[in-house]
Each structure stands twice: as C-alpha cells, then as structure tokens.
Amino acid sequence: FTSGLVHPRVWLPARLTGAERQAVLEHELGHVRDLDVLCFGVVGVLTDLFWFVPGARYLERRLHEHAEEAADARAVARGVAPDVLAHSILAYAAAPLPGAPPPRMLGSAARLRRRLLALAPRPGQSKPRVALRLLLALSLTLSAFQSAFLGYS
C-alpha cells in the first residue's frame, strides 16, 4: 500500500520476490503518480461529512475500484506482465499480511474477478482514465454541496 502526501512511501510485503515485487511496486507507484492518497483522503472526508447524500458511499467505492484498475493498467503499460500482476493480487487475496490495513483493494469476489479479467488483454479495450476518477469526485462534491447548502434533497 501507499501512504504519505509530501514524501510518499510504498509498503511492500517481504514475501514478494523478483517479478512479483516489481509488479506490485509499479502498481503502487501508479497510485503515487496519480496522487491517489490525496484523492482518497479528500473523497473520504467529503463522504463522511455528507454521509446522508444518497449514493455517496457507492461513488467512493467506485472511485477506489477505478483507481486500482488504473494502477494495474499503468503497471502493465510500464512493462509489467499482466499474469505476474494478477498472480501477486491473488497471492495477497489468499493471505493478507498480518497487521496490514484491511485489503480494501480486493473488495468482493465479483470485484476481484472483474479486476483480474481487466488484466487479460482484449483487442480494442480502452484503458481506465484519471478523468473518470475526477468526474466521480466532482459529482460527489457537487451532489454534497447541492444537498447541504442549497436545500435540495
């Protein structure tokens, strides 16, 4: 996982070796490059503040899903073999680290399946975009602002 805004840190499991370690590192560096820690922090605070807005938690979950898929796509674009990345995701799902934060990146079995299928190459498949993440965050913010300050329900 990744932490820190000014001086980002990437935390890797010690049990990873060779290609898996490189795959996970590239994935986590994708989160650093996309400023996901900042985005997740802002969206998390907004979601907590405006908990009463219908769909806020759903949009937050979708944002996290998209960020994971975008980091996967960025790692693959930087030369990581998709099968190695998929194997490391499955290894983490099978045995999460003791004392580590809950594996939010995994989610439900259906979400994990979608994520692994996204790593399988398909002709004409578009890559996830940062713009969609920003659109989700913006819609959450506007919805919360409209609901709280303008009196709409």
Side-chain angles (χ1 to χ4, degrees):
F1 66 95
T2 305
S3 65
L5 295 175
V6 178
H7 301 288
R9 290 185 179 218
V10 174
W11 305 87
L12 297 175
R15 67 177 180 238
L16 292 177
T17 59
E20 282 185 350
R21 187 174 191 81
Q22 186 62 34
V24 172
L25 179 62
E26 284 297 336
H27 170 90
E28 294 301 328
L29 288 175
H31 287 302
V32 171
R33 289 182 194 105
D34 290 342
L35 300 174
D36 285 341
V37 172
L38 175 63
C39 185
F40 293 161
V42 169
V43 170
V45 168
L46 287 172
T47 304
D48 289 344
L49 285 173
F50 300 106
W51 56 268
F52 51 87
V53 175
R57 294 281 178 217
Y58 171 77
L59 288 174
E60 183 183 26
R61 279 192 309 275
R62 290 292 298 149
L63 176 69
H64 280 273
E65 289 174 19
H66 182 73
E68 290 301 326
E69 291 170 6
D72 290 346
R74 185 180 286 251
V76 169
R78 293 183 61 82
V80 171
D83 60 326
V84 173
L85 184 57
H87 184 268
S88 60
I89 292 169
L90 285 173
Y92 188 75
L97 296 174
R104 187 173 195 163
M105 50 79 85
L106 299 175
S108 68
R111 180 172 156 196
L112 179 60
R113 182 176 181 272
R114 277 194 317 268
R115 185 170 170 201
L116 293 174
L117 285 174
L119 287 171
R122 283 183 250 159
Q125 181 182 13
S126 65
K127 305 269 188 214
R129 303 277 182 221
V130 174
L132 179 60
R133 292 174 45 218
L134 292 175
L135 181 63
L136 285 172
L138 179 63
S139 67
L140 176 63
T141 304
L142 289 176
S143 166
F145 177 79
Q146 181 182 27
S147 192
F149 299 111
L150 298 179
Y152 297 117
S153 50

